[in-house]
Amino acid sequence: MTVTENPFPIPTQLFINNEVGLTSYESKCSVADCRKVHNSSSPERFSIYNPADGSLVTDKIQYAVADDVDQAVRSAQAAFRNKAWAGITSQERGRVLKRIAKAIEENKEELAWLDRITMGKPVTNGIGEAQFTADIFESSKPDYAGWTDKHAGETFPADDGFLKIVQHEPLGVCAGILPWNGPMATIAFKAAPALATGNVIILKPSEKSPLSALRLASLLTDILPSGVLQVLNGAGATGELLARHPDIRKISFTGSGLTGKKIQRAAAESNLKRVTLELGGKTPAGIFDDCNLDNAVQWATKAITSNSGQICIAASRVYVQESIAERFIAAFVKSIQASAENIGDPNSKDTQFGPLADKAQFSRVQSFFAEDAGKTQILTGGKQHGETGYFFEPTVLYNPDPQAAVYKNEIFGPVACVRTFKDEEDFLQMANDTEYGLNAAVFTKDINKAMRISSRLESGTVGINCVTMLHYQVPFGGSKQSGFGRELGAYGLKSYTEPKSIYVNLNS
């Protein structure tokens, strides 16, 4: 078995309360780093492989079991109750979040590398995600560092003799369960608003990609008080322990709909903890005959090839108006084929298209084509690229059967289904005929038409002449079985606070 050569240490242990681990996570770690790990209560160890070449990254990954979760929660409670975090001023919290952003920026090469060897993210993509993560914590634009002292309450007139005050209080111990496809950015989605509002948080990264979260936590040891941010490796069993823990007040989950339902059920059956769910998507993009065709092709291509199609807002359903279908499809297929030329070694700065996450994800994408054989026409792609690693060619399918799994279900791979439509009503009927409602798009030069259609698309986000957009200034989340609650923007802050109404009797 080939073993990946590691220019940086591989974090394999847990991160609980900044305590000293019994062993260092690698012989390469410094004395300071050795203080920033914690051994699991379980002797079980797991392996991670590099999806680009199948080489072994490590076989020493530890998972958190019940005792570890309990210890992390106790440490978090102590940090919260002792006012080590919530008790400092909002301005001080803002300064701390800026230091977190700086730590990410200063170490983004290492953090990106850790995601590259577990997820196959190309160099530029990984560094870009690291920068986006830092931006969510702090940037020159509205960010969570800037929100700490501006998340105001409300007052209402005392015309009835009572001054009414509404203030927002932190919830306490929160938990964030991260997906494997965006392991760094989703740290900020959950930790930044939680910390900005005075909460403490326990993060559980995916068992497929835990390394960047563990390393980031160790980088914050001298920035955050003990117990404020902790990281527990683990799979579904660890997530369920967090969802059922009676002393955790909020859980934010990003992942599949099936697991999201389990999280919600566990939260309800334990202590009715608050839940935010960001689940799957099946983004429809409507290409109208009055659009800028080149722009539509460019965005549709980017929207299905970014992160090798492994994003919940990937535009996997492309609807094109009949009158321009032939021109658009020809240009779209050509553009997709051009993107396939950028498939390659994730370590190369010239690579834009990496492998799928692992063997399981590669097999899942392949299974759609076996299940739907004969139900669709493959215009390009639809097969493995090369003989090494889990690379899958970007794919365009034409007129798939409406009941085909590849058309109805989230693929989480670089596969776009193209169908034609007659008019607005026809497009809206097909676009909304799904249980997903996370992201959608419309391409047209007619702004009245664009706004009319946007208002009727059943989706948490709509792009006009763009698609697969996400920005930290505005809320992100979905409707229907794409989940509920919002992350990012001011809405992300609200989900981590408890409004308290106070009445002051001015006549006493």
Side-chain angles (χ1 to χ4, degrees):
M1 172 67 68
T2 303
V3 179
T4 299
E5 290 294 327
N6 302 326
F8 298 103
I10 304 294
T12 60
Q13 294 166 281
L14 313 179
F15 187 87
I16 299 177
N17 202 35
N18 300 2
E19 292 183 359
V20 178
L22 297 179
T23 60
S24 64
Y25 58 76
E26 282 283 344
S27 60
K28 296 180 182 179
C29 80
S30 67
V31 174
D33 281 337
C34 293
R35 293 187 292 105
K36 303 168 186 176
V37 294
H38 185 96
N39 280 326
S40 168
S41 300
S42 169
E44 191 172 8
R45 300 293 181 263
F46 298 85
S47 301
I48 294 177
Y49 296 88
N50 188 327
D53 57 16
S55 61
L56 178 68
V57 174
T58 179
D59 58 1
K60 298 180 176 62
I61 294 292
Q62 301 184 11
Y63 277 22
V65 293
D67 287 347
D68 303 312
V69 172
D70 287 341
Q71 183 176 354
V73 173
R74 287 195 300 271
S75 299
Q77 284 182 311
F80 183 72
R81 290 174 177 169
N82 293 338
K83 303 299 182 182
W85 180 246
I88 67 175
T89 68
S90 56
Q91 285 183 322
E92 289 175 308
R93 282 204 304 276
R95 284 193 285 268
V96 171
L97 263 64
K98 291 181 180 181
R99 291 179 63 195
I100 293 174
K102 184 178 179 181
I104 296 170
E105 289 183 331
E106 290 177 345
N107 294 275
K108 60 185 176 183
E109 296 277 352
E110 179 181 359
L111 294 169
W113 177 81
L114 290 168
D115 280 349
R116 186 155 70 250
I117 60 172
T118 57
M119 295 301 303
K121 285 180 181 287
V123 174
T124 53
N125 296 15
I127 292 176
E129 182 175 334
Q131 186 60 56
F132 180 54
T133 305
D135 288 345
I136 296 173
F137 279 100
E138 188 271 334
S139 77
S140 59
K141 299 176 181 178
D143 52 68
Y144 285 125
W147 269 111
T148 55
D149 61 353
K150 301 176 186 65
H151 187 53
E154 299 170 290
T155 61
F156 293 88
D159 49 6
D160 58 354
F162 295 88
L163 176 64
K164 283 81 67 178
I165 303 170
V166 179
Q167 62 186 36
H168 300 277
E169 298 183 345
L171 299 172
V173 181
C174 303
I177 300 180
L178 313 179
W180 50 261
N181 63 317
M184 243 192 300
T186 49
I187 292 173
F189 281 28
K190 301 175 193 312
L195 298 178
T197 47
N199 297 280
V200 294
I201 191 164
I202 300 169
L203 298 174
K204 190 205 82 65
S206 168
E207 68 275 20
K208 295 184 180 185
S209 54
L211 305 185
S212 57
L214 287 168
R215 179 56 180 146
L216 177 58
S218 74
L219 291 169
L220 305 184
T221 299
D222 298 326
I223 298 176
L224 289 170
S226 297
V228 173
L229 185 146
Q230 303 174 90
V231 178
L232 302 178
N233 303 333
T238 306
E240 183 169 7
L241 288 169
L242 292 169
R244 291 190 177 278
H245 203 288
D247 294 321
I248 291 177
R249 300 301 172 188
K250 159 71 186 279
I251 190 160
S252 176
F253 170 77
T254 300
S256 72
L258 179 63
T259 303
K261 291 176 182 179
K262 293 179 180 179
I263 294 288
Q264 185 177 8
R265 186 179 306 116
E269 291 173 352
S270 55
N271 62 342
L272 283 175
K273 60 174 60 66
R274 295 203 188 169
V275 179
T276 296
L277 299 176
E278 194 275 283
L279 308 177
K282 193 72 175 175
T283 296
I287 316 295
F288 284 81
D289 58 10
D290 61 348
C291 74
N292 178 325
L293 193 69
D294 290 341
N295 178 70
V297 169
Q298 178 183 348
W299 278 98
T301 301
K302 178 183 176 182
I304 200 61
T305 58
S306 294
N307 208 30
S308 301
Q310 299 171 123
I311 47 177
C312 52
I313 53 177
S316 55
R317 291 187 296 151
V318 179
Y319 300 103
V320 56
Q321 199 157 20
E322 290 176 341
S323 57
I324 60 166
E326 186 175 344
R327 282 195 299 136
F328 174 83
I329 292 171
F332 184 42
V333 168
K334 183 178 180 180
S335 178
I336 289 290
Q337 290 171 338
S339 72
E341 297 174 2
N342 295 318
I343 298 176
D345 179 6
N347 293 300
S348 170
K349 292 184 178 180
D350 295 328
T351 297
Q352 297 296 320
F353 199 112
L356 298 181
D358 59 10
K359 183 178 180 180
Q361 184 61 20
F362 181 80
S363 298
R364 182 178 185 275
V365 173
Q366 281 188 316
S367 71
F368 282 97
F369 294 88
E371 182 178 348
D372 294 331
K375 296 182 180 179
T376 186
Q377 179 183 353
I378 300 176
L379 299 182
T380 188
K383 61 183 184 296
Q384 182 176 4
H385 176 85
E387 298 180 357
T388 303
Y390 303 117
F391 296 88
F392 196 87
E393 291 186 356
T395 302
V396 178
L397 307 179
Y398 181 62
N399 265 348
D401 187 299
Q403 299 306 314
V406 74
Y407 177 72
K408 293 182 68 68
N409 300 331
E410 184 176 41
I411 302 168
F412 233 60
V415 182
C417 297
V418 177
R419 293 180 63 86
T420 60
F421 67 90
K422 293 181 174 61
D423 52 28
E424 288 183 37
E425 290 300 323
D426 195 24
F427 164 64
L428 285 165
Q429 189 280 322
M430 290 191 288
N432 291 333
D433 185 22
T434 177
E435 280 302 304
Y436 295 108
L438 188 59
N439 186 252
V442 54
F443 288 83
T444 175
K445 293 179 181 177
D446 184 341
I447 190 60
N448 292 329
K449 179 197 295 183
M451 296 304 298
R452 185 168 63 242
I453 293 173
S454 296
S455 68
R456 295 181 60 190
L457 283 167
E458 298 168 356
S459 177
T461 300
V462 177
I464 296 176
N465 296 322
C466 58
V467 65
T468 310
M469 290 293 293
L470 189 151
H471 197 279
Y472 54 82
Q473 289 176 304
V474 295
F476 174 65
S479 60
K480 299 191 281 190
Q481 292 196 42
S482 286
F484 53 80
R486 292 295 184 268
E487 295 181 308
L488 302 180
Y491 289 81
L493 289 169
K494 293 178 181 178
S495 67
Y496 286 94
T497 63
E498 189 75 72
K500 176 182 285 186
S501 299
I502 300 174
Y503 295 83
V504 181
N505 184 354
L506 301 182
N507 299 316
S508 60

